[in-house]
């Protein structure tokens, strides 16, 4: 994953976006924002997203809808997602979210220190995973090239 991979924060309330940006600022990672599920999907498809902080309940396309869609696409299926909810504990929501592969479900208002810790861990883990995937593709290409290269020095 490129070092300029962004953290995408998505919420339909401007004050929440502002609070999340301020909570994440000490990490030093580039942050981008979206105010709807539709805009979140557009940002995800543009690429270079290393982590998604996503409100569950938004008008139109919900946070769960965003996760369902992104899990179907190869380019976005492994991006870690932290869902945010302001409606308290909900076992059905938790079960659905974790079944979709969400990394965590966090209640609002969020504790900035806890959020930074989770984001740091998930972002760095995803970045290392992407680097390993890239290295694996490179090694496979080298092996494939060596396997298909004409053997030199051999006589029939």
């Amino acid at each position: 994953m490129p070092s300029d991979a962004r953290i995408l924060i998505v919420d339909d309330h401007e004050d929440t976006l502002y609070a999340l940006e301020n909570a994440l600022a000490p990490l030093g990672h580039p942050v981008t924002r979206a105010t709807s599920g539709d805009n979140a999907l557009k940002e995800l498809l543009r690429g270079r997203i290393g982590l998604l902080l996503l409100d569950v309940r938004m008008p139109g396309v919900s946070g769960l809808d965003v996760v369902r869609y992104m899990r179907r696409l190869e380019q976005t299926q492994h991006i870690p997602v932290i869902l945010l909810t302001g409606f308290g504990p909900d076992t059905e929501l938790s079960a659905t979210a974790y079944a979709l592969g969400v990394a965590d479900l966090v209640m609002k208002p969020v504790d900035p220190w806890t959020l930074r810790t989770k984001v740091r861990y998930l972002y760095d883990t995803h970045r290392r995973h992407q680097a390993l995937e890239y290295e694996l593709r490179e090694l496979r290409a080298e092996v494939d090239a060596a396997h298909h290269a004409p053997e030199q020095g051999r006589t029939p």
Side-chain angles (χ1 to χ4, degrees), residues 14-30:
E14 191 67 32
D15 56 338
T16 302
L17 290 171
Y18 180 76
L20 291 170
E21 284 176 326
N22 284 322
L24 298 176
L27 296 176
H29 301 305

PDB file of all heavy atoms in Angstrom, residues 14-30:
ATOM      1  N   GLU A  14     -21.445  17.127  10.107  1.00  0.00           N
ATOM      2  CA  GLU A  14     -20.191  17.879   9.992  1.00  0.00           C
ATOM      3  C   GLU A  14     -19.417  17.922  11.307  1.00  0.00           C
ATOM      4  O   GLU A  14     -18.191  17.819  11.313  1.00  0.00           O
ATOM      5  CB  GLU A  14     -20.512  19.303   9.509  1.00  0.00           C
ATOM      6  CG  GLU A  14     -19.297  20.097   9.100  1.00  0.00           C
ATOM      7  CD  GLU A  14     -18.605  19.571   7.851  1.00  0.00           C
ATOM      8  OE1 GLU A  14     -19.274  19.030   6.964  1.00  0.00           O
ATOM      9  OE2 GLU A  14     -17.374  19.720   7.775  1.00  0.00           O
ATOM     10  N   ASP A  15     -20.113  18.074  12.432  1.00  0.00           N
ATOM     11  CA  ASP A  15     -19.424  18.151  13.720  1.00  0.00           C
ATOM     12  C   ASP A  15     -18.714  16.839  14.054  1.00  0.00           C
ATOM     13  O   ASP A  15     -17.624  16.838  14.636  1.00  0.00           O
ATOM     14  CB  ASP A  15     -20.386  18.556  14.847  1.00  0.00           C
ATOM     15  CG  ASP A  15     -21.594  17.647  14.968  1.00  0.00           C
ATOM     16  OD1 ASP A  15     -21.946  16.964  13.975  1.00  0.00           O
ATOM     17  OD2 ASP A  15     -22.204  17.614  16.054  1.00  0.00           O
ATOM     18  N   THR A  16     -19.296  15.713  13.651  1.00  0.00           N
ATOM     19  CA  THR A  16     -18.646  14.418  13.886  1.00  0.00           C
ATOM     20  C   THR A  16     -17.399  14.281  13.015  1.00  0.00           C
ATOM     21  O   THR A  16     -16.363  13.802  13.485  1.00  0.00           O
ATOM     22  CB  THR A  16     -19.630  13.255  13.612  1.00  0.00           C
ATOM     23  OG1 THR A  16     -20.775  13.419  14.447  1.00  0.00           O
ATOM     24  CG2 THR A  16     -18.975  11.915  13.883  1.00  0.00           C
ATOM     25  N   LEU A  17     -17.496  14.703  11.762  1.00  0.00           N
ATOM     26  CA  LEU A  17     -16.327  14.659  10.872  1.00  0.00           C
ATOM     27  C   LEU A  17     -15.186  15.495  11.448  1.00  0.00           C
ATOM     28  O   LEU A  17     -14.025  15.066  11.460  1.00  0.00           O
ATOM     29  CB  LEU A  17     -16.692  15.160   9.471  1.00  0.00           C
ATOM     30  CG  LEU A  17     -17.597  14.255   8.653  1.00  0.00           C
ATOM     31  CD1 LEU A  17     -18.048  14.974   7.388  1.00  0.00           C
ATOM     32  CD2 LEU A  17     -16.909  12.944   8.317  1.00  0.00           C
ATOM     33  N   TYR A  18     -15.525  16.665  11.924  1.00  0.00           N
ATOM     34  CA  TYR A  18     -14.522  17.557  12.522  1.00  0.00           C
ATOM     35  C   TYR A  18     -13.871  16.905  13.745  1.00  0.00           C
ATOM     36  O   TYR A  18     -12.644  16.922  13.899  1.00  0.00           O
ATOM     37  CB  TYR A  18     -15.183  18.883  12.899  1.00  0.00           C
ATOM     38  CG  TYR A  18     -14.245  19.876  13.528  1.00  0.00           C
ATOM     39  CD1 TYR A  18     -13.326  20.587  12.747  1.00  0.00           C
ATOM     40  CD2 TYR A  18     -14.267  20.118  14.900  1.00  0.00           C
ATOM     41  CE1 TYR A  18     -12.455  21.488  13.324  1.00  0.00           C
ATOM     42  CE2 TYR A  18     -13.404  21.025  15.480  1.00  0.00           C
ATOM     43  CZ  TYR A  18     -12.496  21.704  14.694  1.00  0.00           C
ATOM     44  OH  TYR A  18     -11.635  22.601  15.264  1.00  0.00           O
ATOM     45  N   ALA A  19     -14.675  16.310  14.612  1.00  0.00           N
ATOM     46  CA  ALA A  19     -14.145  15.653  15.816  1.00  0.00           C
ATOM     47  C   ALA A  19     -13.250  14.473  15.451  1.00  0.00           C
ATOM     48  O   ALA A  19     -12.182  14.280  16.056  1.00  0.00           O
ATOM     49  CB  ALA A  19     -15.297  15.183  16.708  1.00  0.00           C
ATOM     50  N   LEU A  20     -13.653  13.697  14.458  1.00  0.00           N
ATOM     51  CA  LEU A  20     -12.834  12.554  14.031  1.00  0.00           C
ATOM     52  C   LEU A  20     -11.517  13.010  13.413  1.00  0.00           C
ATOM     53  O   LEU A  20     -10.465  12.429  13.680  1.00  0.00           O
ATOM     54  CB  LEU A  20     -13.617  11.675  13.052  1.00  0.00           C
ATOM     55  CG  LEU A  20     -14.802  10.915  13.641  1.00  0.00           C
ATOM     56  CD1 LEU A  20     -15.637  10.287  12.526  1.00  0.00           C
ATOM     57  CD2 LEU A  20     -14.335   9.870  14.642  1.00  0.00           C
ATOM     58  N   GLU A  21     -11.568  14.044  12.585  1.00  0.00           N
ATOM     59  CA  GLU A  21     -10.336  14.586  11.998  1.00  0.00           C
ATOM     60  C   GLU A  21      -9.370  15.043  13.091  1.00  0.00           C
ATOM     61  O   GLU A  21      -8.175  14.764  13.023  1.00  0.00           O
ATOM     62  CB  GLU A  21     -10.645  15.761  11.063  1.00  0.00           C
ATOM     63  CG  GLU A  21     -11.198  15.344   9.735  1.00  0.00           C
ATOM     64  CD  GLU A  21     -11.584  16.531   8.874  1.00  0.00           C
ATOM     65  OE1 GLU A  21     -12.035  17.565   9.411  1.00  0.00           O
ATOM     66  OE2 GLU A  21     -11.446  16.410   7.642  1.00  0.00           O
ATOM     67  N   ASN A  22      -9.896  15.737  14.092  1.00  0.00           N
ATOM     68  CA  ASN A  22      -9.042  16.204  15.185  1.00  0.00           C
ATOM     69  C   ASN A  22      -8.487  15.045  16.013  1.00  0.00           C
ATOM     70  O   ASN A  22      -7.347  15.087  16.458  1.00  0.00           O
ATOM     71  CB  ASN A  22      -9.796  17.186  16.078  1.00  0.00           C
ATOM     72  CG  ASN A  22      -9.906  18.541  15.433  1.00  0.00           C
ATOM     73  OD1 ASN A  22      -8.980  18.998  14.778  1.00  0.00           O
ATOM     74  ND2 ASN A  22     -11.041  19.174  15.582  1.00  0.00           N
ATOM     75  N   ALA A  23      -9.297  14.017  16.214  1.00  0.00           N
ATOM     76  CA  ALA A  23      -8.836  12.855  16.974  1.00  0.00           C
ATOM     77  C   ALA A  23      -7.715  12.126  16.240  1.00  0.00           C
ATOM     78  O   ALA A  23      -6.778  11.617  16.866  1.00  0.00           O
ATOM     79  CB  ALA A  23      -9.998  11.902  17.233  1.00  0.00           C
ATOM     80  N   LEU A  24      -7.780  12.098  14.914  1.00  0.00           N
ATOM     81  CA  LEU A  24      -6.792  11.359  14.117  1.00  0.00           C
ATOM     82  C   LEU A  24      -5.574  12.188  13.725  1.00  0.00           C
ATOM     83  O   LEU A  24      -4.556  11.620  13.312  1.00  0.00           O
ATOM     84  CB  LEU A  24      -7.457  10.803  12.857  1.00  0.00           C
ATOM     85  CG  LEU A  24      -8.594   9.811  13.082  1.00  0.00           C
ATOM     86  CD1 LEU A  24      -9.229   9.423  11.755  1.00  0.00           C
ATOM     87  CD2 LEU A  24      -8.105   8.586  13.834  1.00  0.00           C
ATOM     88  N   ALA A  25      -5.654  13.487  13.855  1.00  0.00           N
ATOM     89  CA  ALA A  25      -4.561  14.368  13.427  1.00  0.00           C
ATOM     90  C   ALA A  25      -3.197  13.980  13.995  1.00  0.00           C
ATOM     91  O   ALA A  25      -2.203  13.997  13.253  1.00  0.00           O
ATOM     92  CB  ALA A  25      -4.895  15.820  13.760  1.00  0.00           C
ATOM     93  N   PRO A  26      -3.077  13.604  15.277  1.00  0.00           N
ATOM     94  CA  PRO A  26      -1.753  13.256  15.804  1.00  0.00           C
ATOM     95  C   PRO A  26      -1.082  12.060  15.111  1.00  0.00           C
ATOM     96  O   PRO A  26       0.124  11.899  15.205  1.00  0.00           O
ATOM     97  CB  PRO A  26      -2.019  12.934  17.282  1.00  0.00           C
ATOM     98  CG  PRO A  26      -3.270  13.680  17.617  1.00  0.00           C
ATOM     99  CD  PRO A  26      -4.075  13.645  16.357  1.00  0.00           C
ATOM    100  N   LEU A  27      -1.856  11.243  14.414  1.00  0.00           N
ATOM    101  CA  LEU A  27      -1.273  10.096  13.724  1.00  0.00           C
ATOM    102  C   LEU A  27      -0.471  10.511  12.493  1.00  0.00           C
ATOM    103  O   LEU A  27       0.420   9.793  12.050  1.00  0.00           O
ATOM    104  CB  LEU A  27      -2.361   9.098  13.306  1.00  0.00           C
ATOM    105  CG  LEU A  27      -3.126   8.430  14.435  1.00  0.00           C
ATOM    106  CD1 LEU A  27      -4.230   7.537  13.868  1.00  0.00           C
ATOM    107  CD2 LEU A  27      -2.199   7.637  15.335  1.00  0.00           C
ATOM    108  N   GLY A  28      -0.816  11.651  11.914  1.00  0.00           N
ATOM    109  CA  GLY A  28      -0.076  12.155  10.768  1.00  0.00           C
ATOM    110  C   GLY A  28      -0.435  11.511   9.439  1.00  0.00           C
ATOM    111  O   GLY A  28       0.228  11.770   8.437  1.00  0.00           O
ATOM    112  N   HIS A  29      -1.457  10.690   9.390  1.00  0.00           N
ATOM    113  CA  HIS A  29      -1.879  10.077   8.133  1.00  0.00           C
ATOM    114  C   HIS A  29      -2.808  11.024   7.391  1.00  0.00           C
ATOM    115  O   HIS A  29      -3.605  11.731   8.017  1.00  0.00           O
ATOM    116  CB  HIS A  29      -2.611   8.756   8.377  1.00  0.00           C
ATOM    117  CG  HIS A  29      -1.795   7.733   9.096  1.00  0.00           C
ATOM    118  ND1 HIS A  29      -0.553   7.317   8.661  1.00  0.00           N
ATOM    119  CD2 HIS A  29      -2.034   7.017  10.215  1.00  0.00           C
ATOM    120  CE1 HIS A  29      -0.072   6.403   9.481  1.00  0.00           C
ATOM    121  NE2 HIS A  29      -0.957   6.212  10.445  1.00  0.00           N
ATOM    122  N   PRO A  30      -2.750  11.018   6.056  1.00  0.00           N
ATOM    123  CA  PRO A  30      -3.697  11.854   5.315  1.00  0.00           C
ATOM    124  C   PRO A  30      -5.129  11.362   5.543  1.00  0.00           C
ATOM    125  O   PRO A  30      -5.383  10.159   5.551  1.00  0.00           O
ATOM    126  CB  PRO A  30      -3.284  11.686   3.860  1.00  0.00           C
ATOM    127  CG  PRO A  30      -2.271  10.605   3.805  1.00  0.00           C
ATOM    128  CD  PRO A  30      -1.838  10.291   5.188  1.00  0.00           C
TER     129      PRO A  30
END
